[in-house]
Amino acid sequence: MKPLTTDIHLHTAMLNRTPIVVFIADKLIGSGKIEGITVNSVKVAETRYLRDTCTFKYGGLRRRKYVIFL
């Protein structure tokens, strides 16, 4: 899973409604879509997580488009 390390990563995930996961150390503590972002926290599925103590990562599977030629 790729980490969301910058403000632009977080805002892009929020605008695209991309599912993410939230960790403290190596422990998974939450998941869902970003609902809000402040300087100090990120709101994911009705819960606020502190940006200084949590790691945010892309949690969804990437969609791949296949083209079939007959």
Side-chain angles (χ1 to χ4, degrees):
M1 286 180 269
K2 184 177 176 183
L4 298 137
T5 56
T6 64
D7 285 341
I8 194 72
H9 290 157
L10 292 168
H11 285 282
T12 301
M14 182 174 72
L15 291 173
N16 289 336
R17 307 290 298 148
T18 304
I20 67 160
V21 289
V22 185
F23 293 89
I24 291 181
D26 290 333
K27 183 178 178 184
L28 177 66
I29 60 167
S31 65
K33 295 177 182 171
I34 297 175
E35 297 176 1
I37 301 168
T38 68
V39 174
N40 298 320
S41 66
V42 176
K43 185 177 181 183
V44 178
E46 301 294 323
T47 305
R48 290 211 171 267
Y49 299 98
L50 294 176
R51 292 175 71 170
D52 289 342
T53 58
C54 297
T55 302
F56 305 93
K57 296 183 179 184
Y58 291 106
L61 298 174
R62 293 184 181 175
R63 294 182 189 162
R64 295 187 182 197
K65 296 181 181 178
Y66 296 96
V67 178
I68 299 173
F69 294 99
L70 299 176

